[in-house]
Amino acid sequence: MEDLRQSKPLPRSKKSFMHDELRTYNFNWPLSDSEIIIIQKMFMTSQVHHISTRNITSGRVLMSTILKSFQYYNFIGCLTTSKILLDDDIASLYELLQEYNKVSEFDPDKSDLGLQEFLTYFHFDFIWIELTVDLLKIFSKPKIQELCQLLTQYEPIPVVLISYQN
């Protein structure tokens, strides 16, 4: 399929944003038994993780494959602005935030998203965030950081940030 690799640790000034562990793993397809165990542990640990794949399609295939193989999570969310449709059993956080704020086009940096209140209505047990250029134009890094902190503090769940090489 393609090479999958977990991203390298971020520079010191950005460590607090990503909350990455200092360890870097390189994954190749097909996955070995030890790589499957590492990924399983990552997807089951309630903290923020960061994975880099070649493009958004390969990231979606990876997420779909792993989450379906687990058959563990009941309410999965994805924060994305991509027009590529998500699987039917995955909630689009971007669309839910738009509906929750009752605004068709909102500026997350200027409006009070009420993330804490939002998360009291929606109880996710797994979330991934697609760090595309479009998403980072709409959501500032502090807003993404705030969401990640809320998810891992008040709702201890795994959060996977996916960045793309292309």
Side-chain angles (χ1 to χ4, degrees):
M1 187 160 158
E2 71 171 78
D3 291 339
L4 304 174
R5 69 173 176 79
Q6 186 172 4
S7 66
K8 295 178 183 173
L10 295 172
R12 191 162 195 64
S13 64
K14 294 188 180 178
K15 276 188 184 175
S16 63
F17 166 63
M18 295 296 181
H19 302 282
D20 276 335
E21 295 179 23
L22 295 177
R23 191 160 206 178
T24 300
Y25 297 103
N26 292 315
F27 301 109
N28 296 306
W29 203 267
L31 298 170
S32 69
D33 292 343
S34 61
E35 289 172 329
I36 291 170
I37 291 169
I38 291 168
I39 289 176
Q40 179 181 10
K41 182 180 177 189
M42 185 170 41
F43 275 62
M44 300 298 285
T45 305
S46 298
Q47 65 184 30
V48 178
H49 306 280
H50 188 204
I51 293 176
S52 176
T53 64
R54 185 169 295 159
N55 54 40
I56 195 166
T57 304
S58 63
R60 293 268 179 101
V61 168
L62 172 71
M63 296 304 292
S64 178
T65 302
I66 292 173
L67 292 172
K68 285 181 181 177
S69 69
F70 281 163
Q71 296 182 2
Y72 178 74
Y73 296 111
N74 295 313
F75 196 34
I76 301 168
C78 176
L79 180 59
T80 184
T81 56
S82 172
K83 301 296 182 201
I84 301 171
L85 294 177
L86 293 166
D87 290 345
D88 290 338
D89 56 342
I90 298 180
S92 171
L93 284 175
Y94 183 69
E95 291 175 9
L96 289 173
L97 279 168
Q98 284 180 323
E99 290 175 22
Y100 180 77
N101 286 292
K102 296 180 178 67
V103 179
S104 60
E105 291 294 324
F106 65 96
D107 182 352
D109 291 327
K110 292 183 180 175
S111 66
D112 178 16
L113 290 178
L115 289 173
Q116 195 164 2
E117 294 82 15
F118 173 78
L119 293 172
T120 61
Y121 293 108
F122 300 98
H123 298 282
F124 299 98
D125 50 8
F126 185 92
I127 289 181
W128 87 83
I129 300 172
E130 296 181 340
L131 297 175
T132 60
V133 174
D134 291 338
L135 181 87
L136 293 173
K137 286 179 184 175
I138 297 171
F139 289 88
S140 67
K141 288 182 180 180
K143 283 293 180 186
I144 293 175
Q145 179 183 12
E146 179 185 351
L147 177 61
C148 290
Q149 287 175 346
L150 285 171
L151 290 168
T152 55
Q153 273 183 324
Y154 302 110
E155 297 287 331
I157 64 170
V159 177
V160 176
L161 300 172
I162 302 181
S163 59
Y164 304 103
Q165 298 165 359
N166 297 335

